[in-house]
Amino acid sequence: MLGRILSLFMIASITVAFAAGADLGAGTKAEELNVPAIVMFFIFVAATLGITYWASKRTKSANDFYTAGGGITGTQNGTAIAGDYMSAASFLGITGMVYLKGYDGLIFSIGFLVGWPIILFMISEQLRNLGKYTFADVTAYRLKQKPVRILAALGSISVVILYLIAQMVGAGKLIEILFGLDYEFAVVLVGILMILYVAFGGMLATTWVQIIKAVLLLAGTTFMSIMVMAKFGFSFDALFTQATEIHSKGVEIMSPGGLVSDPISAISLGIALMFGTAGLPHILMRFFTVADAKEARKSVFVATGLIGYFYVLTFIMGFGAIVLVLGDPAGTYLAADGVTLKGMNNMAAVWLAHAVGGDYFLGFISAVAFATILAVVSGLTLAGASAISHDLYANAFAKDKVDEKKEMNVSKMATIAIGIAAIFFGIAFEKQNIAFVVALAFTIAASANFPVLFMSIFWKKLTTRGAVLGGYVGLISALVLVILGPVVWTQILGNAEAIVPYKFPAVFSVPMAFIAIWFFSITDSSEDAKRCQEEFDAQDIRCQTGIGSDGAVAH
Amino acid sequence: MTQEQVQLIKNNPKYQKLVSTRSKFAWTLTIIMLVVYYAFILFIAFSPETLGTKISPDAMATWGIPIGIAIIVFAFAMTGVYVRRANGEFDGLLNDLKIDIEKEMN
């Protein structure tokens, strides 16, 4: 059944692509059809569909669907986490940001990275020892299931949707350029593909697509960086000197500047990036795919190394793009206005691939970038669907009437709903820099998910009321401050002056969440509060030692 | 876990040692990481020109670049330090503890 659907889909999508190609041939579109890119692209799509097919045969229980049966090794999981993290937003967005703003791009990279040691020291083992499928398993461990699960699900879904937007924009742009298809059509295509991957392949498919794609992406970006450096005799100074001569901002690109111009925004961004990582549902979910705390630790070590290496490469690639793409004498990569890149600035990395490696390498990198997007949106969608099926449906609303089969059906329906939402928002956010949209997702993750998760692991006095009210304070304040801020209020909604002058409100919303959690817990004298506090010791022992958590593995 | 088992484990000196050494270690590393990162962020916030200073008069590279890359390398090194100690010392303590508990419960 699945095989038939997948092969039907393959035929349909190839037909669509070539129909579009014929359209291109008629000269109605500006972009040329890039045959090597399309060939590589279909090899990837076919390979990932193959993995999905293989995984679907092995995905029978809910445990398989959510956590790949818990049998992923630390190194595999670390590579997959790196794959989740080296998303289109990282690869296209950060390279694009370095290309556009120079040094400021590195600030983002560093912020994205330094959350990892904190996750290792404070969260990863605890999560593995306490949880099963979603991070809400941890927060609901000794608190009241229903309200805590609903809160965690809302936090997860908000983050997932925002993060998905960034990926969809990247995917849409990429296909637009490769095939000359309309942006909207491209976004719809990605949405449909991603629904197929998740609904059929579950966590096992997602993990393996991530691992393969992480390796390919690292190989491709390593090659690109070496080619860039070779053009400058492996001298950073030669690269920087030429970049400052070409870039309109001149030497300003060598120091922190426009992106985080005021102190509040800089600190706020720092908080969002660092603690946001520890609140990303699709990342947290990955800690349930390994067998024990030791493997969870190893995952973070491997992931941090790969991600750090990758970020250093994006910095080289961004500067390389300034010289080789922006500075290309023939202006090959510029749009008609002679200033912006074809397909917007998020495409700097893709055009750099062409500049250093020609059509075939462009094809390779485009295909890898596309595989990246598919893999990451699958992980995100899985996290969103799990929040809906495991937290909302199975543990909050339909508690006594649930069997595994029903729960999995709900997660498949949720997958479709999230896919449609992602398509809709992907179109609405077309013009945003995708690294920025990701920063918003991080703000919400840091404000709503992280404080509740952290306090439920470490603070004995936490009560249900404190966690729930505090979590909502974080979630709502982050959302409201972002909506009233310059990006949504001014750029998207078209109002004149932003009510809140800061792009990144984490410096306000994160402390607000912590204070609310603390305040509503210590003033809580209910019976439930007493019970939550009494049950802390048992939770803490399991959290510290893993005793009692082996059940999550033995399937 | 019953209340008795909880008390049994909590009163075991090996458990107490494991928890106190590990959390001390984890918090120390966390604080070091926070200090390093927020020092960097505060420079961006209040004194971006410091990071924009050239490494040498005839170089184009600014101090911000090696510092930035050093933070990335440092973060990775910190995870290595933690994993090393946790896989050795802490897991050793944990295994001893598990053997103790097994005995006491039978």
Side-chain angles (χ1 to χ4, degrees):
Chain A
M1 175 63 184
L2 171 62
R4 266 224 312 272
I5 294 174
L6 293 183
S7 52
L8 260 177
F9 181 78
M10 279 289 289
I11 293 163
S13 60
I14 291 169
T15 316
V16 167
F18 282 97
D23 193 29
L24 279 176
T28 51
K29 299 274 179 184
E31 304 297 336
E32 275 173 47
L33 194 64
N34 184 335
V35 177
I38 290 168
V39 171
M40 302 260 195
F41 169 83
F42 276 111
I43 291 172
F44 273 101
V45 172
T48 47
L49 285 176
I51 290 170
T52 308
Y53 180 69
W54 165 79
S56 72
K57 300 260 176 208
R58 282 158 187 75
T59 302
K60 295 196 173 68
S61 64
N63 189 42
D64 296 331
F65 185 78
Y66 293 128
T67 72
I72 307 287
T73 70
T75 309
Q76 287 168 350
N77 191 42
T79 314
I81 289 174
D84 257 322
Y85 218 60
M86 298 183 296
S87 60
S90 287
F91 176 50
L92 303 178
I94 291 188
T95 311
M97 200 170 270
V98 176
Y99 165 81
L100 205 61
K101 313 237 181 193
Y103 188 80
D104 282 352
L106 187 63
I107 300 173
F108 264 74
S109 301
I110 293 167
F112 282 132
L113 190 80
V114 291
W116 281 104
I118 309 292
I119 290 182
L120 175 65
F121 309 149
M122 296 282 150
I123 304 272
S124 58
E125 297 172 40
Q126 290 82 346
L127 214 58
R128 170 60 280 179
N129 285 339
L130 288 175
K132 197 174 173 203
Y133 296 152
T134 68
F135 81 89
D137 293 340
V138 178
T139 55
Y141 197 83
R142 68 190 154 109
L143 306 180
K144 238 194 246 156
Q145 294 280 326
K146 193 169 174 176
V148 170
R149 296 260 181 197
I150 294 171
L151 165 74
L154 288 178
S156 296
I157 292 162
S158 313
V159 172
V160 161
I161 293 286
L162 271 173
Y163 218 112
L164 269 174
I165 290 169
Q167 308 300 322
M168 296 303 267
V169 172
K173 288 292 164 200
L174 201 64
I175 298 190
E176 188 180 34
I177 286 160
L178 280 178
F179 295 131
L181 295 178
D182 282 343
Y183 175 82
E184 287 82 2
F185 188 83
V187 168
V188 173
L189 191 73
V190 175
I192 293 170
L193 256 177
M194 125 191 152
I195 290 169
L196 278 179
Y197 283 105
V198 178
F200 292 112
M203 184 52 110
L204 188 60
T206 307
T207 302
W208 278 103
V209 172
Q210 287 294 20
I211 291 171
I212 292 166
K213 161 241 135 165
V215 171
L216 288 171
L217 183 60
L218 285 168
T221 48
T222 301
F223 175 76
M224 236 196 294
S225 305
I226 291 173
M227 292 297 283
V228 167
M229 292 314 293
K231 289 201 196 275
F232 299 93
F234 293 93
S235 153
F236 280 100
D237 248 16
L239 170 65
F240 295 148
T241 306
Q242 273 213 43
T244 52
E245 281 162 11
I246 288 165
H247 203 285
S248 62
K249 290 195 173 75
V251 290
E252 275 178 39
I253 57 170
M254 300 308 299
S255 50
L259 189 69
V260 277
S261 43
D262 63 293
I264 303 260
S265 294
I267 296 165
S268 202
L269 182 66
I271 291 173
L273 297 185
M274 186 177 221
F275 298 112
T277 310
L280 293 177
H282 67 298
I283 299 283
L284 296 175
M285 198 179 178
R286 292 227 62 92
F287 291 108
F288 306 119
T289 66
V290 293
D292 52 31
K294 189 180 210 132
E295 297 298 311
R297 269 179 226 135
K298 214 195 285 169
S299 306
V300 183
F301 177 66
V302 171
T304 311
L306 294 177
I307 296 165
Y309 171 69
F310 175 75
Y311 280 154
V312 174
L313 298 185
T314 58
F315 191 66
I316 296 171
M317 289 190 293
F319 271 91
I322 293 173
V323 179
L324 302 171
V325 173
L326 182 65
D328 180 66
T332 322
Y333 309 108
L334 298 180
D337 63 5
V339 184
T340 49
L341 287 178
K342 281 182 194 165
M344 308 282 288
N345 296 316
N346 292 328
M347 287 298 122
V350 175
W351 295 135
L352 179 67
H354 188 263
V356 300
D359 279 347
Y360 280 89
F361 192 63
L362 169 73
F364 175 78
I365 284 294
S366 304
V368 171
F370 189 73
T372 293
I373 289 163
L374 282 179
V376 174
V377 293
S378 305
L380 283 165
T381 308
L382 191 60
S386 309
I388 293 170
S389 59
H390 181 65
D391 294 326
L392 287 184
Y393 173 74
N395 283 298
F397 289 117
K399 213 169 172 195
D400 303 319
K401 295 166 280 187
V402 178
D403 61 50
E404 269 204 0
K405 210 168 165 209
K406 267 194 201 155
E407 187 178 332
M408 279 172 78
N409 281 337
V410 171
S411 54
K412 284 173 190 179
M413 285 188 283
T415 301
I416 295 170
I418 293 170
I420 292 168
I423 290 168
F424 176 78
F425 287 119
I427 291 168
F429 278 69
E430 180 183 351
K431 302 253 185 293
Q432 277 299 314
N433 175 294
I434 53 187
F436 172 72
V437 179
V438 167
L440 293 189
F442 274 69
T443 301
I444 293 176
S447 313
N449 300 347
F450 174 72
V452 177
L453 183 63
F454 185 84
M455 295 295 252
S456 67
I457 292 173
F458 291 103
W459 196 39
K460 183 175 176 145
K461 293 203 159 72
L462 179 74
T463 71
T464 305
R465 189 178 85 169
V468 170
L469 291 179
Y472 282 115
V473 166
L475 178 62
I476 292 166
S477 62
L479 280 173
V480 168
L481 291 170
V482 165
I483 289 169
L484 299 180
V487 176
V488 176
W489 194 254
T490 315
Q491 287 175 30
I492 293 171
L493 298 177
N495 296 305
E497 185 90 12
I499 296 168
V500 176
Y502 306 112
K503 272 187 186 176
F504 308 108
V507 72
F508 305 110
S509 54
V510 174
M512 274 163 78
F514 273 107
I515 291 168
I517 291 170
W518 168 79
F519 179 78
F520 290 114
S521 291
I522 57 154
T523 56
D524 187 353
S525 54
S526 62
E527 278 303 306
D528 178 65
K530 241 179 262 159
R531 186 192 55 80
C532 291
Q533 290 161 359
E534 275 162 13
E535 285 177 18
F536 179 78
D537 282 344
Q539 177 200 300
D540 198 39
I541 286 170
R542 173 158 161 181
C543 176
Q544 300 276 1
T545 63
I547 293 169
S549 68
D550 304 341
V553 184
H555 281 275
Chain B
M1 233 179 284
T2 65
Q3 206 52 43
E4 283 149 45
Q5 287 169 318
V6 168
Q7 283 311 320
L8 197 74
I9 297 174
K10 262 185 81 178
N11 293 335
N12 188 309
K14 283 175 187 154
Y15 176 76
Q16 291 161 358
K17 192 181 171 204
L18 172 69
V19 171
S20 73
T21 36
R22 187 170 56 192
S23 52
K24 220 178 281 165
F25 185 55
W27 278 105
T28 310
L29 294 187
T30 301
I31 289 164
I32 293 171
M33 197 66 234
L34 289 174
V35 167
V36 167
Y37 177 56
Y38 283 100
F40 175 69
I41 287 291
L42 290 176
F43 269 112
I44 292 167
F46 293 105
S47 178
E49 59 283 357
T50 311
L51 292 172
T53 315
K54 286 183 178 180
I55 289 175
S56 70
D58 51 341
M60 188 49 75
T62 52
W63 276 110
I65 291 164
I67 290 172
I69 290 171
I71 293 173
I72 291 178
V73 174
F74 182 72
F76 175 56
M78 295 284 275
T79 62
V81 167
Y82 181 84
V83 169
R84 208 186 146 82
R85 187 157 176 209
N87 285 356
E89 188 187 332
F90 299 151
D91 275 358
L93 269 172
L94 181 60
N95 282 334
D96 291 351
L97 171 69
K98 280 182 177 163
I99 292 165
D100 269 17
I101 294 166
E102 199 101 327
K103 268 191 228 146
E104 284 173 47
M105 283 184 183
N106 288 328

